[in-house]
Amino acid sequence: MTNRRHVLILAAAFLAGGWPGAGQAAEAAPYDQKAFEAAQAEGRPILVQISAPWCPICRTQKPILAALAAEPRFKTLAVFTIDFDAQRDLVRRFGAQMQSTLIVYKGGTEVARSVGETQPEWIEQLLEKAL
């Protein structure tokens, strides 16, 4: 017999990670050169997100990007994060001047870049360029 406690546990499990085998959203991962190169070699759409924990624009972008990454059409999107303050060498390598920079690749080619964008529709259009 299923009681209220079992229902709550199942609901919490679903909200935390979904049903087993269900399509999962693209998880943002700290930048890793080998993983980045592998995603490029596979021809996957890639987002490099350069942010800082103190940045209000970056905090606004995160839930928008998470919601978009959860959509089925972005299921193969590889998302790499770079800390603007702690990873200055990577920030320079990607040519970013500011935090809140979003760089989109289609395989090995950069196809779009945005700085400070917080409009969900425009961020969506940015990501679509990688598909």
Side-chain angles (χ1 to χ4, degrees):
M1 179 164 92
T2 303
N3 61 30
R4 184 171 181 240
R5 182 180 215 173
H6 289 115
V7 171
L8 291 174
I9 291 170
L10 286 172
F14 176 75
L15 291 173
W19 297 114
Q24 299 293 313
E27 293 283 327
Y31 181 83
D32 175 86
Q33 183 67 33
K34 288 182 183 178
F36 180 75
E37 290 172 356
Q40 285 183 314
E42 293 169 6
R44 291 179 61 189
I46 300 168
L47 168 65
V48 176
Q49 178 184 9
I50 300 174
S51 63
W54 50 264
C55 170
I57 294 171
C58 304
R59 284 194 299 266
T60 301
Q61 289 175 333
K62 286 185 186 209
I64 296 167
L65 291 167
L68 289 169
E71 292 185 13
R73 64 192 163 134
F74 295 118
K75 69 181 177 187
T76 60
L77 180 69
V79 181
F80 296 99
T81 60
I82 296 175
D83 185 295
F84 183 77
D85 296 320
Q87 297 176 295
R88 298 299 292 170
D89 58 328
L90 288 173
V91 170
R92 280 189 293 280
R93 186 178 336 155
F94 281 94
Q97 301 296 312
M98 295 182 60
Q99 72 283 354
S100 74
T101 299
L102 305 175
I103 307 169
V104 178
Y105 290 82
K106 187 171 190 171
T109 305
E110 181 180 331
V111 293
R113 181 179 288 241
S114 172
V115 178
E117 185 55 62
T118 59
Q119 294 295 318
E121 311 80 44
W122 292 4
I123 293 174
E124 180 178 11
Q125 290 173 3
L126 181 79
L127 294 182
E128 286 175 341
K129 293 178 180 180
L131 299 180

